[in-house]
Amino acid sequence: MFTKIFDNINNKHPLVHCITNYVTVNDVANVLLACGASPIMADDVKEVEEITSLCTALNINIGTLNSRTINSMLKAGKKANELSHTIVLDPVGAGASSFRTNTTFDLLENIKFSVIRGNISEIKTVDKGSGTTQGVDANVSDAVTELNLDEVVAFSKRLSKRTGAIIVITGAIDIVANSEKAYIIRNGHSTMSKVTGTGCMLSAMIAAFVGANQEEPLLAATAAVCTMGLAGELAYKRIMEEDKGSSTLRTYIIDEISKMTAEKLKEGAKIEIK
Amino acid sequence: MFTKIFDNINNKHPLVHCITNYVTVNDVANVLLACGASPIMADDVKEVEEITSLCTALNINIGTLNSRTINSMLKAGKKANELSHTIVLDPVGAGASSFRTNTTFDLLENIKFSVIRGNISEIKTVDKGSGTTQGVDANVSDAVTELNLDEVVAFSKRLSKRTGAIIVITGAIDIVANSEKAYIIRNGHSTMSKVTGTGCMLSAMIAAFVGANQEEPLLAATAAVCTMGLAGELAYKRIMEEDKGSSTLRTYIIDEISKMTAEKLKEGAKIEIK
Amino acid sequence: MFTKIFDNINNKHPLVHCITNYVTVNDVANVLLACGASPIMADDVKEVEEITSLCTALNINIGTLNSRTINSMLKAGKKANELSHTIVLDPVGAGASSFRTNTTFDLLENIKFSVIRGNISEIKTVDKGSGTTQGVDANVSDAVTELNLDEVVAFSKRLSKRTGAIIVITGAIDIVANSEKAYIIRNGHSTMSKVTGTGCMLSAMIAAFVGANQEEPLLAATAAVCTMGLAGELAYKRIMEEDKGSSTLRTYIIDEISKMTAEKLKEGAKIEIK
């Protein structure tokens, strides 16, 4: 199922331009290398267009948003759109402050994203900024469970239709949806929430996976989500065996990503189509 | 002794707003998750008031101070004071440049801190900015040893009285003092100085521990200091057994914090009251 | 061969002022501690002169260059030159954008560097900004191999003569050259390219090694390069034995640096003089 996806990453070594937060930036760079891609971090408005032109994909993450880099995000995004590059938005904390929410809306208005990844409350904030008028989707609850899964899937498909982006909602259950089809992924382990940056790392990986597989973006994004989830499971198993804690879990998640193959993923992936 | 302290953290999961340096920020975020709290890093002046309002505690660290974030620190601090949040100051490098020293004085003048944590020379700089006129405390030497311990304890109590903040001085021997009582902690291991960020991590943990235990701030701060020290001892023991080095020590310190319990701490804490 | 180099670091504990990128800054700080030095990160124009005055060496890295810190780099560099401190330039990404290239040229024009370290394409960009008029060196290919090694060595010596700096080119084969003599180092392992920051860490280590050994800068820089390479080999061996991946490799590289001695290095170093 994922053989071609992995082959393309390993053959193309996609270069991913990241304008991202300073909290998890090192893990983001290392996870890109681990999965067969390469990172380049550059956020000054004087160089983002040139840098993004060298790349396959652009990953915009608003985790430690500041006034200086908003313009860089907009410029890089527009240039990447011109070049038909893959662009991922990770709207970290959208909804937590009007600054982040408004910036998210600005980015959505000016850039056509290939993928938007967040937790359910961030994606609901994205929904508010994507031109919905009925506001019905605001009823979607703030956690994805087996009980409201169908509702969230339908919401994701509608949002994908409106934005043109693949919607990735991560949590206990992960959803990867375009307007017509959704993959539901039940990999991962709850202890991953003890590690900062698994979301940021995943968004960067999605940029790499989709960037190297532009003809199969939905499956590529799904492969990235499964890889992160399965790596989390394997890492958790190992820290339990070795009586280790949350920082080793972080290390082992990236280790497992660096050792992931299409075969391992096929065996471990817990995917359903809706 | 620490059961209620730990229970409160585990039940309340305090959210800690960090305006901190970019050197150790990832470890700070991970250690907050490890100890049962949650981090949110935000330093833009346009959002710090909103963000800090969502939180239980604010942690201000001047480690890579820059002109852009000083105003953010002041705004966040004033808002957190209005809301009676726990606020910790980590005056990294105060005394090393007039920029850091003056900013420390500005912060002290405008924000009422719950806790101020630093090494002895940073805390002596704080003392200069806290309205002392006699200058006697300047005689306190630059290392805390068994020989000058009583003198430093007396200094800490006086400084606590003047500032209204709990004073935490860390080094080979750690001191946690309010105006009337001081805990002396002899946990930790000298090899911890081979890892950057144990001080920054500790300040963030103190914000979490005190934030979740506002009725017992002195004991909560002491629990945080003991947790870091004991984690360092356990981590050091393990790297020696496994023939590892300073980077694994860093990993294992956070691991041990993620596995710490009130029972383990009771058994391992080396505390004296002065 | 390296006994005195290591002794000087361990006795002098050089303090290294780093103006560096936010991607690898934590690893840079930890590797400096691991090798017996101390880091101080400070990039605000209001304090860089004071901070660099306290130090033995200055390490300038343009990895996430932004307009705010260029002036800080220039001011710190001029002050460090006044004080005859060791100064290292790591022109990360020079050539990838005109912003980085022009900043590199500005730095070269205004600061006299002790060492310039980069990969071959970064160093070729440095060459363009160092007053060459013939442009012959532009013919040097973009990878150093056994086939073009003599040519690259000659290029390095010429560039060293023109700039007055020791030139360090790292890749599969590493070169450390002044105008008359070059050390060729064949330590390291290809898997190190799966870890971000080994170059940044090495530049900081060079600053520490040379700073503590100003009378033997070429040998000191060579010791730093060998240390990183040998640490990579030992770390790679260990992750293979333990079935681990790229993030543990990162951890073990720093571990091995923290355990490195002159004796181990003598045994493991693969050095040739040209």
Side-chain angles (χ1 to χ4, degrees):
Chain A
M1 183 176 187
F2 295 125
T3 308
K4 205 180 152 204
I5 303 287
F6 274 74
D7 285 351
N8 279 334
I9 294 167
N10 291 325
N11 295 331
K12 295 181 187 173
H13 291 302
L15 185 58
V16 180
H17 176 200
C18 299
I19 305 180
T20 189
N21 69 73
Y22 58 81
V23 183
T24 62
V25 60
N26 184 265
D27 289 335
V28 165
N30 274 316
V31 91
L32 284 170
L33 290 169
C35 77
S38 284
I40 185 161
M41 276 59 182
D43 66 19
D44 196 278
V45 73
K46 288 186 186 154
E47 71 169 351
V48 289
E49 290 171 300
E50 261 180 285
I51 294 289
T52 221
S53 299
L54 304 172
C55 295
T56 298
L58 171 64
N59 175 41
I60 294 178
N61 174 307
I62 66 167
T64 47
L65 190 64
N66 71 70
S67 310
R68 181 178 71 78
T69 52
I70 294 173
N71 203 22
S72 305
M73 292 174 178
L74 290 167
K75 276 208 163 173
K78 285 175 188 172
K79 173 58 77 176
N81 270 159
E82 270 175 50
L83 299 168
S84 302
H85 288 182
T86 296
I87 316 182
V88 175
L89 174 65
D90 188 333
V92 182
S97 76
S98 48
F99 181 53
R100 294 193 192 209
T101 302
N102 293 336
T103 301
T104 300
F105 293 175
D106 262 14
L107 293 169
L108 288 165
E109 209 174 294
N110 288 287
I111 302 169
K112 193 193 163 319
F113 289 98
S114 316
V115 184
I116 303 169
R117 190 214 67 83
N119 62 33
I120 180 68
S121 61
E122 289 158 354
I123 298 298
K124 281 170 63 181
T125 300
V126 165
D127 181 54
K128 282 182 203 150
S130 67
T132 175
T133 48
Q134 308 110 306
V136 287
D137 293 331
N139 295 318
V140 172
S141 121
D142 264 349
V144 181
T145 64
E146 298 295 348
L147 291 174
N148 67 4
L149 182 56
D150 285 343
E151 193 184 357
V152 181
V153 167
F155 158 71
S156 303
K157 288 179 177 175
R158 287 194 303 272
L159 182 57
S160 178
K161 188 159 189 185
R162 257 202 325 273
T163 58
I166 291 171
I167 302 298
V168 181
I169 300 175
T170 52
I173 305 171
D174 303 321
I175 297 164
V176 179
N178 64 17
S179 61
E180 300 189 341
K181 187 175 174 179
Y183 289 99
I184 313 301
I185 297 115
R186 289 187 178 79
N187 288 100
H189 190 278
S190 60
T191 311
M192 294 170 77
S193 66
K194 284 282 183 185
V195 175
T196 198
T198 53
C200 301
M201 286 189 258
L202 177 53
S203 293
M205 282 172 63
I206 290 172
F209 276 61
V210 173
N213 291 280
Q214 283 200 313
E215 66 299 340
E216 285 268 36
L218 193 70
L219 196 64
T222 301
V225 172
C226 282
T227 295
M228 176 55 79
L230 183 57
E233 292 172 33
L234 296 169
Y236 176 74
K237 190 160 167 277
R238 191 157 181 176
I239 65 157
M240 286 295 102
E241 286 164 8
E242 300 178 356
D243 186 27
K244 288 179 177 166
S246 63
S247 188
T248 298
L249 182 67
R250 188 260 294 253
T251 302
Y252 284 179
I253 288 171
I254 301 177
D255 274 6
E256 293 297 338
I257 290 168
S258 77
K259 298 191 292 173
M260 191 61 68
T261 60
E263 295 67 42
K264 269 198 208 177
L265 194 58
K266 190 186 165 192
E267 205 170 302
K270 298 169 193 155
I271 300 179
E272 180 192 358
I273 297 175
K274 288 233 180 205
Chain B
M1 183 176 187
F2 295 126
T3 309
K4 205 180 152 204
I5 303 287
F6 274 74
D7 284 352
N8 279 335
I9 294 167
N10 291 324
N11 294 332
K12 295 182 187 173
H13 290 303
L15 185 59
V16 180
H17 177 200
C18 299
I19 304 181
T20 189
N21 70 73
Y22 58 82
V23 183
T24 62
V25 60
N26 185 265
D27 288 335
V28 164
N30 274 316
V31 91
L32 284 170
L33 290 169
C35 76
S38 284
I40 185 161
M41 274 63 181
D43 66 18
D44 196 278
V45 72
K46 287 185 185 154
E47 71 170 351
V48 289
E49 290 171 301
E50 262 180 283
I51 294 290
T52 221
S53 300
L54 304 171
C55 294
T56 297
L58 171 64
N59 176 41
I60 294 179
N61 174 309
I62 66 166
T64 47
L65 191 62
N66 71 70
S67 310
R68 181 178 71 78
T69 51
I70 294 173
N71 203 20
S72 305
M73 292 175 178
L74 289 168
K75 275 206 164 177
K78 284 175 188 172
K79 172 58 78 176
N81 270 158
E82 269 175 51
L83 299 168
S84 302
H85 288 181
T86 296
I87 316 181
V88 175
L89 173 64
D90 188 333
V92 181
S97 76
S98 48
F99 181 53
R100 295 193 191 207
T101 302
N102 293 336
T103 301
T104 300
F105 293 174
D106 262 15
L107 293 169
L108 288 165
E109 207 174 297
N110 287 286
I111 302 169
K112 192 193 163 319
F113 289 98
S114 316
V115 184
I116 303 169
R117 190 215 67 83
N119 60 34
I120 180 69
S121 60
E122 289 158 354
I123 297 298
K124 280 170 62 182
T125 301
V126 165
D127 181 55
K128 283 181 203 149
S130 67
T132 175
T133 48
Q134 307 111 307
V136 287
D137 292 334
N139 295 319
V140 172
S141 120
D142 264 350
V144 182
T145 64
E146 299 295 347
L147 290 175
N148 66 5
L149 181 57
D150 286 342
E151 193 185 358
V152 181
V153 167
F155 158 70
S156 302
K157 288 180 178 175
R158 286 194 303 271
L159 182 56
S160 178
K161 187 158 190 186
R162 256 199 328 270
T163 58
I166 291 170
I167 302 299
V168 181
I169 300 175
T170 53
I173 304 171
D174 303 322
I175 296 163
V176 180
N178 64 19
S179 60
E180 301 188 342
K181 187 174 175 180
Y183 289 98
I184 312 302
I185 298 115
R186 289 187 178 80
N187 287 101
H189 190 279
S190 60
T191 312
M192 295 171 78
S193 65
K194 284 283 184 184
V195 175
T196 196
T198 53
C200 302
M201 288 190 257
L202 176 54
S203 293
M205 282 173 63
I206 290 173
F209 276 61
V210 173
N213 291 280
Q214 283 199 314
E215 66 298 339
E216 285 268 35
L218 193 70
L219 195 63
T222 301
V225 172
C226 282
T227 295
M228 176 55 79
L230 183 57
E233 292 171 35
L234 296 169
Y236 175 74
K237 190 161 167 275
R238 192 158 181 175
I239 66 157
M240 287 295 101
E241 285 164 9
E242 299 177 356
D243 186 27
K244 289 179 175 166
S246 64
S247 188
T248 299
L249 182 67
R250 187 260 294 254
T251 301
Y252 284 179
I253 288 171
I254 301 177
D255 274 7
E256 293 297 339
I257 290 169
S258 77
K259 298 190 293 172
M260 191 61 68
T261 59
E263 292 69 41
K264 269 197 210 180
L265 194 58
K266 190 185 163 190
E267 206 169 303
K270 296 169 194 155
I271 301 180
E272 181 192 357
I273 298 176
K274 287 231 182 207
Chain C
M1 182 176 187
F2 295 127
T3 308
K4 203 180 154 204
I5 304 287
F6 275 73
D7 285 351
N8 279 334
I9 294 167
N10 292 325
N11 294 331
K12 295 182 187 172
H13 292 301
L15 184 59
V16 181
H17 176 200
C18 298
I19 304 180
T20 189
N21 70 72
Y22 58 82
V23 183
T24 62
V25 60
N26 184 266
D27 289 336
V28 165
N30 274 316
V31 91
L32 284 171
L33 290 169
C35 77
S38 285
I40 184 161
M41 275 61 181
D43 66 18
D44 197 277
V45 74
K46 287 185 188 156
E47 70 169 352
V48 289
E49 290 171 300
E50 260 179 286
I51 294 289
T52 221
S53 301
L54 304 172
C55 295
T56 297
L58 170 65
N59 175 41
I60 294 179
N61 173 309
I62 66 167
T64 48
L65 191 62
N66 70 71
S67 310
R68 182 178 70 77
T69 51
I70 294 173
N71 203 22
S72 305
M73 292 174 179
L74 290 167
K75 276 207 164 175
K78 285 174 189 172
K79 172 59 79 176
N81 269 158
E82 269 175 50
L83 299 168
S84 302
H85 288 181
T86 295
I87 315 181
V88 175
L89 173 65
D90 188 332
V92 182
S97 75
S98 48
F99 181 53
R100 293 192 192 209
T101 303
N102 293 336
T103 301
T104 300
F105 292 174
D106 262 13
L107 293 170
L108 288 166
E109 208 174 295
N110 288 286
I111 302 169
K112 190 191 165 324
F113 289 98
S114 317
V115 184
I116 303 169
R117 190 215 65 85
N119 61 33
I120 180 68
S121 61
E122 290 157 353
I123 297 297
K124 281 169 62 182
T125 300
V126 165
D127 181 54
K128 283 182 204 150
S130 67
T132 173
T133 49
Q134 308 108 307
V136 287
D137 293 333
N139 294 319
V140 172
S141 121
D142 264 350
V144 182
T145 64
E146 299 295 349
L147 292 174
N148 67 4
L149 182 57
D150 286 343
E151 193 183 357
V152 181
V153 166
F155 158 71
S156 303
K157 288 179 177 174
R158 286 195 303 272
L159 182 55
S160 178
K161 188 159 191 186
R162 256 202 324 275
T163 58
I166 290 170
I167 303 299
V168 181
I169 300 176
T170 52
I173 305 172
D174 303 321
I175 297 163
V176 179
N178 65 19
S179 60
E180 302 188 341
K181 186 175 177 180
Y183 288 98
I184 313 302
I185 297 115
R186 289 187 177 79
N187 287 99
H189 190 278
S190 61
T191 312
M192 293 171 79
S193 66
K194 284 284 183 185
V195 174
T196 197
T198 53
C200 302
M201 286 188 260
L202 177 53
S203 293
M205 281 172 63
I206 290 172
F209 277 61
V210 174
N213 291 281
Q214 283 199 316
E215 66 297 341
E216 284 269 34
L218 193 71
L219 195 64
T222 302
V225 172
C226 281
T227 295
M228 176 56 80
L230 182 57
E233 291 171 35
L234 296 170
Y236 175 74
K237 189 159 168 274
R238 192 156 181 176
I239 67 158
M240 287 296 101
E241 286 166 7
E242 298 177 358
D243 186 27
K244 289 179 176 167
S246 63
S247 189
T248 298
L249 182 67
R250 188 259 293 249
T251 302
Y252 284 179
I253 288 171
I254 301 176
D255 274 5
E256 293 297 339
I257 291 168
S258 76
K259 298 190 293 170
M260 192 61 68
T261 59
E263 293 68 43
K264 270 198 208 179
L265 194 58
K266 190 186 165 191
E267 206 168 303
K270 298 170 193 154
I271 301 179
E272 181 192 357
I273 298 175
K274 288 228 181 212

